[in-house]
Amino acid sequence: AQTVTQSQPEMSVQEAETVTLSCTYDTSENNYYLFWYKQPPSRQMILVIRQEAYKQQNATENRFSVNFQKAAKSFSLKISDSQLGDTAMYFCAFSQLEYGNKLVFGAGTILRVKS
Amino acid sequence: EAQVTQNPRYLITVTGKKLTVTCSQNMNHEYMSWYRQDPGLGLRQIYYSMNVEVTDKGDVPEGYKVSRKEKRNFPLILESPSPNQTSLYFCASRQGGLPNTEAFFGQGTRLTVV
């Protein structure tokens, strides 16, 4: 079965600093997709970044980047120059065709950015 | 504007009283699904639909029903709600057949069953 593990229930970071959120997953397949979603206090789910497993290059979106280690089944999210608006719950998620395109989510990490 | 509209946003009900949470999307997506979010468990899939009249169970389907009579709508039905169904519910849609596509989520429904 697919599983996604986020081992950090809560984290905090000072404004303008860098923080890394961890995620590991389990699958026996080679072709799959990984995502980070952000859920601010408004509850809206927002896609932050996505990574295709067959691409070796790590995805980046402005201040957000990932460290994708396929052999280790690790997919961490790095947020640079943290801003107060980054305060949110962050979910790591996994999807693959063989499982009906279902998104499998981790338990989430609450990130608090302090001024 | 591309969106998934879910209603109501908040609902308090009593055990056993049937309720429906509506979900509608305007992106012509084939794939729609329902998730529940609980502390420490993340989001878990309840039911999904690959297209009109095609639905299937997700990971936690007990106590729920769905229907997909039109492409844009995917209501979630609790025929006899129980307190263990108190949760935050999300409807989502994705372009069908493509596991790399972005999922668009509704605003969430906070359900309390007393």
Side-chain angles (χ1 to χ4, degrees):
Chain A
Q2 307 159 293
T3 57
V4 177
T5 302
Q6 294 178 250
S7 58
Q8 306 150 314
E10 295 188 30
M11 295 190 72
S12 61
V13 64
Q14 286 296 128
E15 203 173 4
E17 293 187 349
T18 295
V19 64
T20 298
L21 308 184
S22 300
C23 173
T24 59
Y25 57 92
D26 188 23
T27 181
S28 57
E29 303 295 331
N30 263 326
N31 194 20
Y32 51 87
Y33 303 87
L34 296 159
F35 305 82
W36 279 97
Y37 279 86
K38 170 185 177 181
Q39 185 183 55
S42 66
R43 298 193 324 219
Q44 186 64 46
M45 293 285 286
I46 303 163
L47 177 65
V48 175
I49 200 165
R50 79 186 94 181
Q51 174 82 39
E52 293 160 342
Y54 63 85
K55 288 187 177 178
Q56 293 189 344
Q57 186 174 4
N58 288 325
T60 62
E61 288 286 344
N62 301 312
R63 297 183 295 108
F64 298 88
S65 61
V66 299
N67 183 5
F68 174 47
Q69 303 286 330
K70 191 171 184 178
K73 297 181 182 176
S74 171
F75 183 60
S76 59
L77 175 68
K78 185 171 84 170
I79 306 174
S80 304
D81 185 25
S82 297
Q83 301 175 358
L84 295 177
D86 295 334
T87 292
M89 174 80 89
Y90 287 83
F91 291 101
C92 179
F94 169 104
S95 178
Q96 64 184 67
L97 188 61
E98 289 80 2
Y99 291 96
N101 297 337
K102 176 175 67 176
L103 276 170
V104 178
F105 287 87
T109 296
I110 298 172
L111 176 66
R112 294 187 176 88
V113 181
K114 300 179 179 179
S115 59
Chain B
E1 179 191 354
Q3 61 183 5
V4 178
T5 303
Q6 211 180 308
N7 281 298
R9 292 208 66 189
Y10 298 91
L11 180 59
I12 300 175
T13 190
V14 296
T15 299
K17 185 177 181 181
K18 181 178 178 179
L19 65 91
T20 299
V21 183
T22 63
C23 174
S24 181
Q25 52 96 1
N26 64 0
M27 295 164 280
N28 203 37
H29 286 166
E30 295 84 0
Y31 188 95
M32 297 184 74
S33 55
W34 277 100
Y35 292 86
R36 60 178 288 173
Q37 180 180 346
D38 300 291
L41 297 175
L43 283 80
R44 294 176 292 166
Q45 192 183 59
I46 301 170
Y47 267 94
Y48 67 96
S49 170
M50 301 286 275
N51 214 325
V52 176
E53 302 292 0
V54 181
T55 64
D56 208 346
K57 297 177 181 179
D59 295 320
V60 288
E62 293 76 21
Y64 304 95
K65 283 178 60 176
V66 293
S67 68
R68 188 93 181 272
K69 292 182 170 53
E70 303 165 285
K71 197 171 189 179
R72 63 183 292 123
N73 296 324
F74 190 46
L76 179 69
I77 303 156
L78 285 72
E79 295 215 324
S80 183
S82 61
N84 64 11
Q85 293 178 298
T86 292
S87 187
L88 177 60
Y89 291 86
F90 285 97
C91 178
S93 74
R94 299 174 82 180
Q95 191 173 347
L98 300 170
N100 64 329
T101 56
E102 177 180 0
F104 291 83
F105 288 82
Q107 311 96 308
T109 296
R110 172 72 69 185
L111 173 65
T112 303
V113 183
V114 299

